[in-house]
Amino acid sequence: MKVGSESVKKSTLEAGNSSMEQRNTTLMQVEEKTLQQLDFLRIRSSIAGCCLSQEGRNLVEQRFPQTDAQEITAFKATARQWMTFLESARPLPLTGWEPVEPIADILAVANSVLNQQELHTLASFCSITVQTAKALLSAAKSLPIPHLEAQAQDLPDLQQPIQLIGRVLDKSGQLKDLPELREIRGNIARIRREIDSAIRRYTSDTSLKDVLQSDVPVLRSDRQVLAVRSGSRSKIRGIIHEVSQTGHTVYIEPEEIVRKNNELVQEEFALSAEIRRIFRELTASLAPFHQDILLAHHSMVQLDGAYGTARWAVNNRAIFAKDLPPESQPRLLQARHPLLGEQAVPIDLVFPQNCRVLIITGPNTGGKTVSLKTLALFTLLNQCGFPIPAAEETALPLCSGVFADIGDEQSLDQSLSTFSGHMKNIGQMLERSDGKSLILLDELGSGTDPQEGGAIAMAVLDKLIQQGDIVVVTTHHGVLKNYGYTHPTCTNASAEFDEKTLAPTYRIRAGIPGESRALDIARRNGLPAAIVDQATAYMEGQQADISAMITSLTKKHQEADKLAQDLKQEQQSIRDKRRRVDLKELQLRQREQELSREDQREGRIFLSESRKMLENLVRELREGEISKAKTQSVKQFICQLDANIKEQEKKLESQEEQLQQDQLELEKIHGTAPLAPPVKAGKKKRLKNKDALALARAQDLVQAQEHSAGGNQTGNVGAGSKKIQQELQFQEGATVATIKGNRTGTILRQSGKGSWLVQVGGLKLTMKEKELRLLQPLEINPSQMVEYSLVEGDASSSSAAHSLATPQDRSFVKDSSTERPVLELRLLGMRCEEAIKALERQLDLATMQGLYHFSVIHGKGNGILQQAVHDYLSHYPGITDFHFARPEEGGTGKTYVSLE
């Protein structure tokens, strides 16, 4: 909130007055009769009823459709942000207030005096203004309401008027016990007590029991008097104020009480004069805030009007339509007429691109006129800045005017027939429309000869198309259906009709004309069947063919709509599944990160505790002589450390076993073979060609041993493998391979129960039996390839590889100038050595001729050929990546290769 200078305040108010004048010049062209026909006035009153103050309701009641896009956008923005505020479930800062504008006008008059009620009303308004500003500024910190925030910041600070009024009146509007009034009020109270005492003396006097008609005093002219019997009035001296209608009772004010009442009147007059003086001074002190109060009143009325609009939007599930230029096409989606409530059938009314005329045909009571009225009503509401009950993405152009010819224009007073009334309206429309108007023509060309009426209708549409206005026409003329097909700026639409129930569905379908269905509706509404059958006989022939064509088009259109809806639902389902997969992936990454942090934390705790214990032992050893107890404690520490490490290893092994079980379960569920561990590029050294060939021959030898029995391959392989496995055992000199890393080594000796000392390359490692696997003496482990390196351009290696090749092998050595690499290399049926030769030739050709991506089909089988191919690819220079295909493309039986 802020207090502006006088010039700012005056300019703001002048701007408000000028905006009112400008609003009159930017009003849309629309007649009062059209507003009533379209029920605009009823909807506007409903919106106004949602405001909190009478002045806010008056503001909404005075809003008319206009063409000022800036003003419409500003009002919509404020109301839309009120919707955001209401949806946030925050306490409502705005409350109603009594009319303030007349009070502000009194402040502008010199020597004017506000009465007690007016001062209380003004104080309440100022308090509501301050509370509203504070609440909106607080809400703006967490809600996107920049327009409301700006208006709250522009509200003047009215704390001082609140304080000035608060010195005189309390919050309930009652006059406070001011020092200047306290003495007068005391005198009044004292005189009233004296009067009451004197009255009681008369009523309690037993000698006057027969004189008084009643012992209860009576008020006459605001004075306490006694009811005295008429025959005894001489016994009490005083003034007679009144005589009863029967004459039996006279009302006498005793002389003693007369003097007291006169004193009371004088004191009350003094009190009134003093209060008036206080109010006059208070009014004078409030006069400097006249401009602030007017500015705050203007802003608060605007806020209340926008709030009422937003509240109506929330109650009616309405949205604010997007504003389009006048040359654009309207787009109504899921539009519901507000007066129909929950019974409204949502309609879609979409003008195709470059279409300016929509011709709606179909059955009576099918929703044609309601659709026409809905479009016009929503256009009027939108250009008032009001919301409309429709779906998001609804958009409407800003029109310069709305002209409608709806209903029966017959007038006996003006001697107009129905047709004459329509022609008069259409003539006025053609004169006033400017190419940016919305024109509604209900039952165009009706009320006269169908042929002449159709000709007039087409001529009118020609003129409107020439002008460029947006036109919506409802008709039963078949000639206008053909007109809609022959003009590029026209589109046919139809009101849908249910073939099963023979009743309209009140839905609009664009693109195809509709049938009037007069015969079906007549039969449904009670016309004798014989008459309907006779009418059907008259309709046979060409009209029946047209009806069949329209029915076929309608059916195909419905099928296309169903396919589009199914596709939309399927796309939504795919998006939902993708979101769920992405969410699951994110959750897995988060879980992985949490586990990693947990492992690091446990490792740090273990390291910290071990370090502390070790430091304590070292300190004890340094502080004194080495004793048996100290030596024993060191041994215990080492044993405890070893036990902790073994415990961690067991925990890790348990997790690995659980992971393997989960993987097996996953494979059973999805029916896929286990994936090979990923090959990390750059970790293995390159093989010489002769070494690769030697490896292939060794693998062929193993394969041959497994197939040596012939015949039933599966049975022989199983028997051979079982026999070989039985002969192998862990002992000194045995050849083994590590489970992790697949490195070949030799067992040197047994280091403990279930563990062996293994020579792996230049390293000696202590490993458990379950971490090793035994190898046949002839089996060459592919991991041996890490011990070799291929020197590029080494002629001896190339010649050696060539010399090792058999005549069958040399069949692969061809002139590369005529041979071409293939996109899919098939190795099925080849032995390992043949397959490696073919793969090598494919890689050489691909490198020389620029083929960077291809696939290798090696099959699954026992995995020997698959392993050989992957081992060779992992050491071949220039390969950036290779991986198995997806399950639907071959899975682990096919490998994709990518070169640099």
Side-chain angles (χ1 to χ4, degrees):
M1 294 175 59
K2 63 182 181 180
V3 179
S5 63
E6 287 296 323
S7 60
V8 173
K9 299 170 191 174
K10 291 181 179 179
S11 62
T12 303
L13 294 175
E14 290 174 358
N17 295 332
S18 62
S19 66
M20 292 293 293
E21 296 175 359
Q22 182 181 4
R23 190 178 302 163
N24 293 331
T25 63
T26 60
L27 290 179
M28 175 192 287
Q29 296 186 67
V30 58
E31 295 182 353
E32 184 76 15
K33 179 183 68 175
T34 302
L35 295 177
Q36 293 177 351
Q37 287 179 331
L38 298 176
D39 298 310
F40 169 81
L41 301 178
R42 294 177 61 186
I43 303 302
R44 187 182 64 181
S45 297
S46 176
I47 297 174
C50 294
C51 295
L52 297 174
S53 68
Q54 183 59 48
E55 291 172 322
R57 289 189 285 271
N58 293 339
L59 174 70
V60 175
E61 289 281 7
Q62 293 171 3
R63 289 191 69 85
F64 283 91
Q66 53 189 296
T67 58
D68 186 355
Q70 185 176 0
E71 202 279 338
I72 296 172
T73 302
F75 189 83
K76 282 184 177 181
T78 305
R80 188 181 289 112
Q81 291 176 19
W82 267 122
M83 290 180 66
T84 302
F85 189 96
L86 292 174
E87 291 169 354
S88 68
R90 287 175 171 265
L92 184 64
L94 198 63
T95 56
W97 65 86
E98 296 297 325
V100 175
E101 189 172 10
I103 300 175
D105 294 338
I106 295 175
L107 288 177
V109 180
N111 299 323
S112 59
V113 180
L114 295 176
N115 60 34
Q116 185 172 342
Q117 180 60 41
E118 291 170 339
L119 288 170
H120 177 59
T121 299
L122 183 58
S124 299
F125 170 76
C126 294
S127 298
I128 293 171
T129 301
V130 172
Q131 293 171 5
T132 301
K134 289 182 179 178
L136 291 178
L137 291 176
S138 175
K141 297 178 181 179
S142 57
L143 296 177
I145 50 173
H147 286 81
L148 292 179
E149 182 182 13
Q151 292 192 34
Q153 291 174 345
D154 290 339
L155 284 173
D157 188 358
L158 299 180
Q159 287 286 359
Q160 194 168 352
I162 295 174
Q163 294 173 359
L164 291 174
I165 299 175
R167 294 174 185 173
V168 178
L169 302 179
D170 58 19
K171 292 184 178 179
S172 63
Q174 298 299 316
L175 194 63
K176 289 185 175 181
D177 187 17
L178 303 175
E180 50 268 49
L181 302 178
R182 193 171 298 130
E183 181 180 358
I184 301 175
R185 286 176 171 174
N187 294 335
I188 292 174
R190 177 181 54 79
I191 295 172
R192 289 186 185 278
R193 288 195 300 270
E194 292 175 354
I195 293 174
D196 292 339
S197 177
I199 289 292
R200 281 197 299 272
R201 286 198 301 270
Y202 280 98
T203 56
S204 61
D205 190 350
T206 57
S207 63
L208 298 177
K209 184 176 182 181
D210 296 332
V211 175
L212 297 178
Q213 189 77 28
S214 171
D215 58 356
V216 178
V218 182
L219 284 177
R220 290 292 183 269
S221 301
D222 292 331
R223 288 171 174 257
Q224 293 193 53
V225 297
L226 299 174
V228 182
R229 299 179 190 274
S230 180
S232 304
R233 56 185 175 182
S234 60
K235 294 182 179 181
I236 297 178
R237 296 177 60 84
I239 300 174
I240 297 176
H241 282 268
E242 190 176 325
V243 180
S244 66
Q245 293 181 356
T246 61
H248 295 160
T249 304
V250 292
Y251 298 96
I252 300 175
E253 182 181 7
E255 290 180 351
E256 178 186 1
I257 298 177
V258 170
R259 290 192 299 271
K260 295 298 182 183
N261 276 330
N262 291 338
E263 291 177 10
L264 180 62
V265 170
Q266 291 175 358
E267 291 296 332
E268 289 179 343
F269 179 80
L271 179 62
S272 299
E274 185 62 23
I275 292 175
R276 184 173 180 80
R277 181 191 66 79
I278 293 172
F279 287 171
R280 182 184 297 108
E281 292 178 356
L282 178 57
T283 303
S285 64
L286 293 173
F289 300 97
H290 168 248
Q291 297 290 340
D292 284 336
I293 294 172
L294 281 180
L295 181 59
H297 173 262
H298 175 74
S299 298
M300 289 294 290
V301 171
Q302 294 291 331
L303 285 172
D304 190 25
Y307 163 78
T309 302
R311 183 178 166 191
W312 186 88
V314 172
N315 294 340
N316 291 272
R317 294 178 289 117
I319 57 98
F320 290 93
K322 295 182 179 179
D323 294 328
L324 300 176
E327 61 274 10
S328 301
Q329 287 75 32
R331 183 171 66 250
L332 285 185
L333 302 177
Q334 297 295 296
R336 310 179 310 277
H337 198 287
L339 296 181
L340 296 179
E342 297 298 330
Q343 297 179 351
V345 177
I347 62 170
D348 292 342
L349 203 61
V350 180
F351 280 57
Q353 190 69 22
N354 299 323
C355 172
R356 303 295 286 177
V357 178
L358 187 68
I359 301 175
I360 304 177
T361 53
N364 292 309
T365 68
K368 301 190 301 298
T369 304
V370 172
S371 301
L372 181 144
K373 285 186 173 182
T374 301
L375 174 60
L377 174 62
F378 281 14
T379 300
L380 296 175
L381 293 175
N382 179 59
Q383 292 191 224
C384 283
F386 294 152
I388 58 176
E392 295 290 347
E393 304 302 325
T394 293
L396 294 169
L398 296 180
C399 302
S400 61
V402 172
F403 304 100
D405 179 49
I406 302 174
D408 189 357
E409 296 297 328
Q410 185 179 25
S411 173
L412 297 178
D413 295 337
Q414 301 179 14
S415 299
L416 289 177
S417 65
T418 299
F419 180 74
S420 301
H422 285 306
M423 292 301 102
K424 181 179 179 181
N425 275 347
I426 294 174
Q428 294 175 351
M429 292 179 189
L430 295 174
E431 292 179 0
R432 299 175 61 186
S433 60
D434 57 359
K436 300 178 181 179
S437 304
L438 173 63
I439 296 180
L440 314 171
L441 300 173
D442 189 27
E443 302 295 347
L444 179 61
S446 62
T448 186
D449 178 74
Q451 185 174 1
E452 295 181 0
I456 293 175
M458 290 188 290
V460 170
L461 292 179
D462 287 341
K463 176 63 175 177
L464 294 175
I465 291 173
Q466 182 182 359
Q467 292 183 174
D469 296 300
I470 300 174
V471 184
V472 183
V473 178
T474 65
T475 184
H476 290 282
H477 284 301
V479 66
L480 290 183
K481 301 176 185 178
N482 183 61
Y483 184 91
Y485 275 120
T486 57
H487 285 71
T489 58
C490 295
T491 297
N492 281 306
S494 60
E496 191 180 58
F497 191 82
D498 193 336
E499 297 284 349
K500 297 180 180 179
T501 62
L502 299 179
T505 63
Y506 307 105
R507 291 187 176 90
I508 302 299
R509 291 190 174 275
I512 57 175
E515 297 180 90
S516 295
R517 295 285 183 176
L519 298 178
D520 294 327
I521 294 176
R523 188 190 303 274
R524 184 169 177 266
N525 285 276
L527 194 66
I531 297 178
V532 175
D533 294 339
Q534 183 64 30
T536 303
Y538 286 128
M539 292 289 294
E540 293 179 354
Q542 182 179 1
Q543 184 65 29
D545 295 338
I546 295 175
S547 298
M549 180 187 67
I550 293 177
T551 302
S552 177
L553 286 174
T554 302
K555 184 176 180 181
K556 291 181 179 179
H557 197 277
Q558 291 174 349
E559 292 174 354
D561 286 348
K562 187 177 185 303
L563 289 175
Q565 186 67 23
D566 292 343
L567 178 61
K568 185 177 179 180
Q569 292 177 355
E570 184 177 356
Q571 291 175 344
Q572 183 64 35
S573 176
I574 292 173
R575 285 194 293 268
D576 293 341
K577 290 181 180 178
R578 184 175 300 170
R579 280 195 295 268
R580 289 195 295 269
V581 170
D582 293 342
L583 179 61
K584 187 64 176 178
E585 182 181 358
L586 177 61
Q587 292 173 344
L588 290 175
R589 289 202 302 268
Q590 291 174 344
R591 179 58 180 163
E592 182 180 1
Q593 188 176 10
E594 291 175 0
L595 292 175
S596 177
R597 285 199 298 266
E598 182 66 21
D599 291 342
Q600 291 178 0
R601 187 183 67 82
E602 293 179 357
R604 285 196 298 269
I605 293 174
F606 176 74
L607 181 61
S608 175
E609 292 178 351
S610 301
R611 180 179 297 172
K612 289 178 182 178
M613 295 178 63
L614 185 60
E615 289 174 352
N616 291 334
L617 291 173
V618 171
R619 185 174 63 254
E620 291 177 359
L621 292 174
R622 288 179 178 176
E623 289 176 352
E625 297 180 356
I626 299 177
S627 61
K628 184 177 180 180
K630 292 181 179 180
T631 304
Q632 187 66 28
S633 63
V634 171
K635 290 181 178 180
Q636 289 178 356
F637 168 75
I638 294 173
C639 292
Q640 182 65 32
L641 186 63
D642 185 56
N644 291 338
I645 293 175
K646 290 181 178 180
E647 183 179 353
Q648 293 291 334
E649 289 177 352
K650 289 181 180 179
K651 184 178 180 181
L652 219 66
E653 291 171 2
S654 175
Q655 293 176 353
E656 290 177 355
E657 292 175 358
Q658 183 63 38
L659 185 62
Q660 292 175 359
Q661 292 178 3
D662 294 343
Q663 183 176 358
L664 291 174
E665 291 179 2
L666 185 65
E667 292 166 3
K668 290 178 181 178
I669 294 173
H670 295 286
T672 57
L675 297 179
V679 180
K680 298 182 179 179
K683 295 296 182 181
K684 297 183 179 181
K685 298 181 181 179
R686 300 173 180 173
L687 271 181
K688 295 181 181 179
N689 292 342
K690 63 180 181 179
D691 296 331
L693 292 176
L695 173 62
R697 287 195 181 96
Q699 292 174 335
D700 285 343
L701 179 59
V702 174
Q703 186 175 7
Q705 291 176 352
E706 294 176 348
H707 291 77
S708 59
N712 189 341
Q713 181 179 0
T714 303
N716 293 338
V717 170
S721 300
K722 185 174 181 181
K723 182 179 180 181
I724 293 172
Q725 188 66 27
Q726 290 175 350
E727 294 175 356
L728 295 177
Q729 59 181 347
F730 286 96
Q731 58 185 355
E732 293 183 6
T735 303
V736 294
T738 61
I739 300 296
K740 295 182 179 179
N742 204 26
R743 301 287 302 275
T744 303
T746 304
I747 295 178
L748 299 179
R749 59 181 174 82
Q750 187 172 6
S751 62
K753 185 178 181 181
S755 61
W756 300 85
L757 182 64
V758 183
Q759 179 78 36
V760 180
L763 300 176
K764 293 182 180 180
L765 304 174
T766 300
M767 305 187 71
K768 297 181 180 180
E769 289 184 1
K770 62 182 178 181
E771 296 176 344
L772 302 170
R773 66 181 179 89
L774 291 167
L775 298 178
Q776 288 287 340
L778 294 177
E779 185 177 351
I780 298 177
N781 184 27
S783 63
Q784 289 176 343
M785 290 183 282
V786 299
E787 306 296 335
Y788 303 97
S789 62
L790 174 63
V791 181
E792 296 181 5
D794 188 354
S796 62
S797 300
S798 177
S799 61
H802 191 275
S803 64
L804 290 172
T806 61
Q808 183 180 5
D809 300 330
R810 294 192 183 97
S811 64
F812 293 101
V813 183
K814 298 180 182 179
D815 184 9
S816 61
S817 62
T818 59
E819 193 174 1
R820 294 286 183 270
V822 296
L823 293 176
E824 186 175 81
L825 180 63
R826 302 181 64 87
L827 303 180
L828 297 176
M830 296 184 182
R831 301 176 68 84
C832 280
E833 186 175 5
E834 298 172 353
I836 293 298
K837 291 283 293 180
L839 178 60
E840 180 185 16
R841 185 61 180 168
Q842 169 73 9
L843 289 170
D844 292 343
L845 291 173
T847 302
M848 290 185 293
Q849 300 185 21
L851 178 64
Y852 300 107
H853 302 282
F854 64 92
S855 61
V856 180
I857 299 179
H858 43 65
K860 299 179 182 178
N862 294 327
I864 296 177
L865 182 58
Q866 176 196 88
Q867 185 66 34
V869 169
H870 275 224
D871 285 338
Y872 188 83
L873 292 175
S874 64
H875 300 88
Y876 189 87
I879 292 181
T880 60
D881 181 44
F882 64 93
H883 55 84
F884 287 125
R886 290 182 294 184
E888 63 269 21
E889 297 177 355
T892 56
K894 183 177 181 180
T895 298
Y896 286 108
V897 182
S898 299
L899 301 177
E900 294 180 350

